[in-house]
Amino acid sequence: MGRFMALVYDGMTRRAEERCLAAWRSDLLASLAGVGTGRVLEIGAGTGHNLPHYPEAVSMLVLSEPDRFMRERLRAKLAQASAKRVVVVDAVADRLPLGDASVAAVVATLVLCSVADQGGTLAELKRVLRPGGRLVFLEHVAADAHPRRLRWQRRIEPVWKRLAGNCHLTRRTAQAITGAGFEMERLVEEDFHPATAIVRGSVRGVARKPV
């Protein structure tokens, strides 16, 4: 989506952040308070919506964002943020420049819908996580509980992907996470408000790489 999406993204999402997303992010990221000096990786960091919600205990943060316009906005926010040890990297989520078992936790919020290869991405996240490491996630998903909405998602998805940076409407991300070998510790299914019906269903939670 390039420069235009980077410029308008914060404005487009402001109402949803105020209504629910900011609170959900804060609650999820609070689970990282115990990582200590372990490194935390966020994939698809975008313009930095998660930055205010990381607990003080997170002192080493790697932000991966492949879109250069999003990275420009992200770095501008970092210039005004706290003095955490933060590194911004240009990398796609299924090819990360990190060693095996090198991070204590991975954060993925509103990004697993748009990665080119969701299964490959989850395998890569599992690779870089240390045993027992957490995957913290927040994603919109297929409306399996609403058959009519799901039918519309399927109809619209081919065009939607082209307009919205490869965003998929019908991914079943929680099932994909467990299918990739993660152990689900916490899972919440809840509608986004406000949001158009086709992207309203969401899942969020914490999974672990087995020890």
Side-chain angles (χ1 to χ4, degrees):
M1 297 298 286
R3 186 187 301 274
F4 176 74
M5 179 57 74
L7 286 172
V8 303
Y9 187 75
D10 287 355
M12 285 174 54
T13 58
R14 183 171 293 115
R15 192 173 173 212
E17 290 290 334
E18 292 171 349
R19 287 281 298 274
C20 64
L21 286 179
W24 291 359
R25 293 178 195 274
S26 183
D27 177 61
L28 283 171
L29 295 178
S31 69
L32 301 180
V35 299
T37 58
R39 183 163 51 169
V40 173
L41 165 70
E42 180 179 343
I43 61 167
T47 63
H49 277 311
N50 284 326
L51 286 175
H53 305 291
Y54 280 102
E56 286 300 316
V58 176
S59 58
M60 300 177 64
L61 186 59
V62 178
L63 304 177
S64 172
E65 175 50 58
D67 184 275
R68 70 184 182 96
F69 300 109
M70 289 286 192
R71 285 198 307 276
E72 288 174 4
R73 306 279 290 181
L74 178 59
R75 286 194 171 104
K77 287 184 181 178
L78 281 172
Q80 305 169 14
S82 65
K84 294 181 186 296
R85 293 177 59 188
V86 181
V87 177
V88 178
V89 297
D90 174 7
V92 291
D94 58 357
R95 294 191 304 276
L96 295 166
L98 298 169
D100 294 355
S102 61
V103 301
V106 174
V107 175
T109 58
L110 305 180
V111 63
L112 292 174
C113 63
S114 61
V115 294
D117 178 0
Q118 192 179 65
T121 293
L122 289 168
E124 180 72 343
L125 300 185
K126 193 176 178 185
R127 178 187 71 80
V128 301
L129 269 171
R130 68 190 186 190
R134 296 184 183 100
L135 169 60
V136 177
F137 62 92
L138 163 59
E139 302 290 337
H140 70 85
V141 291
D144 288 325
H146 303 276
R148 185 169 179 270
R149 189 188 303 175
L150 181 60
R151 286 195 296 272
W152 274 107
Q153 287 180 321
R154 288 172 174 156
R155 289 177 189 140
I156 294 169
E157 188 170 64
V159 175
W160 183 268
K161 286 190 296 184
R162 298 187 66 176
L163 296 176
N166 201 46
C167 174
H168 290 66
L169 297 172
T170 59
R171 283 185 170 170
R172 294 169 173 86
T173 300
Q175 294 92 321
I177 289 170
T178 55
F182 289 91
E183 298 172 349
M184 194 69 70
E185 287 196 338
R186 175 186 175 195
L187 180 65
V188 179
E189 301 177 69
E190 187 173 352
D191 280 355
F192 287 116
H193 290 290
T196 185
I198 58 170
V199 292
R200 190 172 295 159
S202 79
V203 293
R204 65 186 188 272
V206 179
R208 280 189 184 268
K209 177 179 175 176
V211 176

